[in-house]
């Protein structure tokens, strides 16, 4: 899993791709939440660290529940609706 995340999100120098091959904050239909939510929930710490390094963040409601102000500020700055459901 780590190799796939690394390939899609980082270039050969280990820097985040300017145009990544995957969307780090996508919302999967089956699992709900963001990829970082899923990796954290399933105990994939190394994958979660890669996602975080590439700009991944927790979903708005999970960030609120876990008191993660940086994630909350980022979502709200992008125009997220406070009443939106995950």
């Amino acid at each position: 899993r780590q190799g796939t995340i690394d390939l899609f999100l980082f270039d050969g120098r280990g820097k985040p791709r300017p145009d990544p091959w995957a969307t780090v904050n996508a919302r999967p239909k089956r699992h709900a939440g963001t990829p970082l939510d899923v990796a954290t929930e399933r105990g994939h710490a190394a994958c979660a660290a890669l996602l975080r390094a590439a700009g991944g963040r927790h979903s708005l409601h999970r960030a609120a529940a876990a008191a993660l102000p940086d994630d909350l500020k980022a979502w709200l700055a992008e125009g997220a609706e406070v009443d939106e459901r995950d």
Side-chain angles (χ1 to χ4, degrees):
R1 293 178 185 133
Q2 294 168 325
T4 303
I5 292 172
D6 195 38
L7 175 68
F8 285 162
L9 301 178
F10 298 92
D11 63 21
R13 298 169 295 157
K15 304 285 184 193
R17 291 181 184 278
D19 294 314
W21 298 348
T23 304
V24 72
N25 289 311
R27 294 185 179 147
K29 294 179 182 177
R30 278 189 342 174
H31 305 294
T34 64
L36 182 58
D37 291 332
V38 175
T40 302
E41 234 176 59
R42 294 182 179 183
H44 301 300
C47 292
L50 285 171
L51 290 165
R52 179 64 81 180
R57 56 184 182 249
H58 290 282
S59 62
L60 180 64
H61 294 287
R62 290 185 193 186
L68 301 169
D70 291 338
D71 285 357
L72 291 169
K73 288 177 191 172
W75 283 117
L76 295 173
E78 288 180 9
E81 294 291 327
V82 176
D83 296 326
E84 181 180 340
R85 296 182 58 126
D86 276 348

